[in-house]
Amino acid sequence: MTIVVAYKWAPNPQDAAVGSDGSVDFSRAKSAISEYDPVAFELARQVADATGAEVVGVTVGDASIDTSLARKAALSRGLDRLVIVADDRLAGADSTRLAAVLAAVVRGIGDVDLVLAGESSVDVTEGQVAMTLAGQLGWLGLNAVSSVSATDGGYAIERDVPSGTASMVLTGPAVLAATTDAVLSRVPGMKDILGAAKKPVEVLSLDMLDVSSAQVTLTAVSASRPAAGNRQRVIIDGSDPTAAAAELVGALRAAKVL
Amino acid sequence: MTSDAAGPDFDVVVVGAGIAGSVTAYRLAERGLSVVLIERGDVPGSKNLSGGVLYGRVLETVFPHYLNEAPVERRITRHVTTFLNADSAVSLDYSADGLAEPGNAVTVLRAKFDPWLAGKAEEAGAFLMPGVRVDSLLTGPGLDGATTVVGVRAGDDELRARVVVAADGVNSFLASSVGLRQKQPTNHLAVGVKAVIRLPRADIESRFGVSGDRGAAHAIVGDCTLGIGGGGFIYTNTESLSLGVVLRLDDLLRSGHTAIEVFEHFTQHPGLQQYLHGGELIEYGSHLVAEGGYPMVGEVAMNGMLVAGESAGLAINSGLTVRGMDLAIGSAIAASDAVVEAVAAGDTSKAGLAGYRRRLDESFVMQDMRTSARAPKFLERNRMYGPYGELIADVLQNAFSLDGTPREHLLNVARHALRRSPLTLRQLISDGWAGVRAL
């Protein structure tokens, strides 16, 4: 059996600049594994260690996602091997297109009964790819997954739902999007990184994949900052704690909060 | 567990993928040694900060065509030194196109330059390991009874090596953890605050009088640092400026100002607005700078370990130029040659690695460190940062403001100006002589 981790090599929002018009500039951002995804690597490794399954990382995107740094970053997180589609025709691809390419890769790997992913990407933050991938594959898709463990012939799943936690048992292939706190993901150590360099990487050509194409175009029109809210912008000098506390209480009373 | 029982994982562990670390790793890998280059940042260059001028001739000895290959910003053909007063400025402007061919000094942005350099090490066969913070050194007793470094530890993992090269930056914690280097006095350290501001290419070229891939480096002393020992700089990149202040730590502490306050005073100084206005801040950072000069170098090798670059206190602030990256490259050349020699001889003890210090002493690195050995002391003379600029401006004001009264001989003007200035002729002569000896 094979478990696929579908992840994104995404620009880090910490390096992004927000313009005065609300536009976000990622041009100076360094890329890394999208921060929602390490949890998917960790869950996959834990399930695979229990079942003996192989863990294959899959990522798709433009040519810049295939660097030695990017390969090591993924392979040091518990993968057995990596499959990449890196093609500039995928630059700026929407979630449906990315999911279609991922689906073609998963079908090509074969013998996959579980795809794990993060809830969203750090840069686009649509939270669509995992569920669209499930749709493309014709598999069950579940988001908000907080726990996965192997059972006889299937998986025991827990989901975070508004009323609490829902437990369920799954048989048959599925795509699961894990919550960011589903499991504590390990930071790769030196031995993990050294080991990563020895693991196989397969680079697939986009042309060789059977990708369904939807005739949809999505164009960003504008972006705006969230409303700043009604802030009073009062700063209280805290060098004398007693006076500061009294001033704070006074300010809160004046604002009719107390 | 001894190193003999386990056997090394690599010939050499290099800690820090900055200039010194990457050049060392490149040259060792080129010579067939197994090398791992460990970097704390997720990407080389993400944690590094320097003013931004690389005196790159020495890099040509390692990469002959680096100027065409590496992400360099501009070739500096214009050096301007300015005494800045509250409402006047006196500049010395040296410009020569000959400085571009071959490239004498270039501006670099470390976020681009360091990944390129680390990439060269990786291409040569070094194993680049970013995102790993080395927690401590692995040590054991050496044949001579003294501590021997046998590897590094990060988290639960250990890597063993015949030699560890510590290129982990100023205040190298690896070197101090085994007593190779001591904590430096505050007059040996300066704090640098630097920003990069984006500015359209055309604005840079018109404001700084440069074009094409040519650029300017401005060194500024005086009111821009609120009189604190140190100076300011503005360097032109392709489509941005690197600017900042370097402040002597002891003088900064004495002044009661924070480095940020001084930096803001600098960026808002009316004398600099002609260069900076309209720029958009895109990067900001702060860094300790080794400024102790020659006395700060001290020990650079021990059993199983060398320190290179800034970690070895290699930096020169002559007042006209601030250098670190070229010295880092020079030390990397000396370190890698010494390590190759020691590994081949099977002796990586302090004695086996002695070739490092010898090569360093023979190279331009220590010769320049010695030549400018007096510069730090000279720059500690605080008159440099206030009264001089005012005195010169006073003289020039008299020379240039023709108000219809008969002109005096310039020497007389200077004499009167000096009388009005808090400076004495004796201080002037003393500082002048110290300056000549230091520079």
Side-chain angles (χ1 to χ4, degrees):
Chain A
M1 278 306 193
T2 298
I3 301 174
V4 162
V5 177
Y7 72 94
K8 185 169 189 180
W9 185 249
N12 189 342
Q14 280 179 1
D15 304 331
V18 180
S20 51
D21 61 347
S23 60
V24 181
D25 176 12
F26 276 102
S27 62
R28 293 171 51 81
K30 306 267 190 230
S31 288
I33 289 177
S34 171
E35 276 177 21
Y36 289 87
D37 295 342
V39 66
F41 286 80
E42 189 69 40
L43 280 174
R45 188 71 258 162
Q46 288 183 7
V47 172
D49 285 347
T51 63
E54 182 190 38
V55 181
V56 181
V58 176
T59 191
V60 304
D62 63 34
S64 74
I65 68 164
D66 186 17
T67 64
S68 138
L69 193 78
R71 289 178 174 201
K72 274 188 248 182
L75 285 164
S76 61
R77 291 179 179 275
L79 302 180
D80 295 308
R81 63 189 178 93
L82 182 58
V83 182
I84 299 177
V85 180
D87 190 309
D88 277 338
R89 283 174 289 173
L90 294 176
D94 62 51
S95 57
T96 304
R97 173 113 172 113
L98 292 178
V101 179
L102 284 170
V105 176
V106 170
R107 278 195 297 268
I109 291 171
D111 196 32
V112 178
D113 72 337
L114 192 61
V115 176
L116 286 166
E119 284 188 306
S120 181
S121 62
V122 271
D123 55 341
V124 181
T125 64
E126 283 178 350
Q128 298 265 19
V129 173
M131 294 308 108
T132 310
L133 170 60
Q136 290 269 0
L137 291 167
W139 295 3
L140 176 73
L142 283 177
N143 59 18
V145 171
S146 57
S147 166
V148 187
S149 55
T151 60
D152 281 342
Y155 298 97
I157 312 282
E158 287 183 5
R159 290 185 67 233
D160 278 349
V161 291
S163 53
T165 304
S167 299
M168 50 201 73
V169 177
L170 166 75
T171 55
V175 179
L176 307 180
T179 59
T180 49
D181 56 356
V183 65
L184 189 65
S185 49
R186 286 169 292 189
V187 176
M190 294 192 293
K191 301 272 156 130
D192 297 320
I193 302 172
L194 288 175
K198 301 189 181 93
K199 293 176 180 174
V201 179
E202 191 180 357
V203 180
L204 297 180
S205 150
L206 188 57
D207 297 316
M208 303 299 285
L209 293 170
D210 175 23
V211 181
S212 62
S213 59
Q215 298 302 313
V216 180
T217 55
L218 179 69
T219 310
V221 179
S222 70
S224 63
R225 286 169 181 267
N230 183 21
R231 302 234 167 116
Q232 298 299 312
R233 298 178 194 279
V234 177
I235 296 171
I236 295 171
D237 178 3
S239 52
D240 177 352
T242 315
E247 200 182 332
L248 174 62
V249 171
L252 291 173
R253 286 223 171 95
K256 296 192 166 53
V257 181
L258 291 181
Chain B
M1 193 161 70
T2 68
S3 60
D4 296 341
D9 298 291
F10 286 90
D11 290 325
V12 186
V13 168
V14 179
V15 183
I19 308 278
S22 288
V23 173
T24 302
Y26 168 80
R27 295 188 88 246
L28 291 172
E30 277 276 287
R31 247 86 62 85
L33 269 65
S34 64
V35 185
V36 60
L37 175 58
I38 304 178
E39 163 58 38
R40 179 168 62 108
D42 287 331
V43 183
S46 55
K47 302 266 180 196
N48 303 69
L49 193 83
S50 54
V53 168
L54 166 65
Y55 294 88
R57 293 304 299 278
V58 62
L59 191 56
E60 286 180 340
T61 65
V62 185
F63 303 109
H65 308 295
Y66 92 94
L67 277 174
N68 304 322
E69 228 187 292
V72 300
E73 299 290 314
R74 287 175 186 269
R75 302 182 187 199
I76 302 299
T77 51
R78 187 165 191 184
H79 289 270
V80 181
T81 307
T82 300
F83 282 94
L84 190 65
N85 305 312
D87 55 4
S88 63
V90 182
S91 292
L92 178 69
D93 186 339
Y94 169 61
S95 120
D97 205 53
L99 289 173
E101 295 293 345
N104 172 63
V106 293
T107 45
V108 295
L109 289 168
R110 300 287 297 273
K112 293 182 193 170
F113 190 73
D114 289 21
W116 174 80
L117 208 52
K120 297 304 279 185
E122 199 175 20
E123 278 170 34
F127 190 102
L128 178 61
M129 189 182 280
V132 172
R133 204 187 80 106
V134 170
D135 295 317
S136 58
L137 292 169
L138 300 176
T139 57
L143 291 173
D144 57 0
T147 302
T148 297
V149 175
V150 296
V152 296
R153 183 183 291 112
D156 298 332
D157 290 344
E158 296 179 350
L159 284 184
R160 291 174 175 270
R162 297 178 207 280
V163 183
V164 172
V165 177
D168 54 334
V170 67
N171 275 355
S172 166
F173 101 94
L174 290 184
S176 48
S177 74
V178 285
L180 180 57
R181 299 190 64 78
Q182 275 72 46
K183 196 172 165 18
Q184 294 296 328
T186 51
N187 66 339
H188 279 188
L189 292 170
V191 59
V193 182
K194 181 206 174 180
V196 177
I197 63 170
R198 192 181 345 235
L199 210 55
R201 216 186 160 113
D203 286 347
I204 292 174
E205 295 179 354
S206 64
R207 292 179 193 183
F208 289 86
V210 294
S211 61
D213 67 350
R214 307 298 199 247
H218 284 231
I220 302 141
V221 293
D223 186 56
C224 67
T225 58
L226 292 168
I228 295 164
F233 60 86
I234 306 175
Y235 305 141
T236 56
N237 302 313
T238 310
E239 288 181 311
S240 64
L241 303 177
S242 293
L243 62 137
V245 289
V246 180
L247 306 166
R248 227 175 61 224
L249 206 50
D250 57 338
D251 213 23
L252 177 66
L253 294 174
R254 207 177 301 134
S255 76
H257 290 290
T258 66
I260 307 300
E261 283 166 12
V262 183
F263 176 76
E264 288 189 347
H265 173 77
F266 173 72
T267 56
Q268 282 154 24
H269 200 286
L272 302 177
Q273 285 317 301
Q274 54 177 321
Y275 301 117
L276 308 182
H277 71 89
E280 180 198 348
L281 182 77
I282 51 177
E283 230 179 88
Y284 184 72
S286 167
H287 189 72
L288 277 180
V289 186
E291 274 204 338
Y294 188 73
M296 188 167 165
V297 178
E299 288 284 337
V300 293
M302 63 183 284
N303 289 337
M305 187 163 92
L306 300 180
V307 284
E310 197 179 38
S311 314
L314 297 175
I316 294 175
N317 183 354
S318 74
L320 296 178
T321 54
V322 185
R323 294 166 50 189
M325 292 187 276
D326 61 325
L327 304 173
I329 295 162
S331 75
I333 293 170
S336 46
D337 286 346
V339 169
V340 168
E341 180 183 74
V343 168
D347 178 8
T348 55
S349 70
K350 184 176 180 181
L353 291 166
Y356 175 39
R357 182 58 193 242
R358 182 171 45 76
R359 286 180 171 84
L360 213 50
D361 282 334
E362 286 164 3
S363 77
F364 77 96
V365 176
M366 292 308 268
Q367 290 176 16
D368 285 5
M369 291 292 289
R370 253 183 247 116
T371 305
S372 47
R374 290 195 186 87
K377 277 262 169 259
F378 171 61
L379 295 173
E380 279 175 29
R381 296 180 178 221
N382 281 0
R383 296 186 285 274
M384 290 290 298
Y385 308 107
Y388 274 128
E390 288 153 20
L391 172 67
I392 302 169
D394 201 8
V395 172
L396 293 177
Q397 191 197 0
N398 270 288
F400 285 112
S401 47
L402 303 176
D403 54 4
T405 58
R407 296 291 85 196
E408 269 190 275
H409 192 276
L410 197 60
L411 197 60
N412 281 337
V413 172
R415 209 172 286 139
H416 293 318
L418 183 61
R419 211 169 292 144
R420 282 193 296 275
S421 158
L423 293 166
T424 64
L425 188 61
R426 197 164 158 190
Q427 287 171 334
L428 200 64
I429 291 166
S430 149
D431 289 346
W433 176 236
V436 168
R437 297 210 309 160
L439 305 176

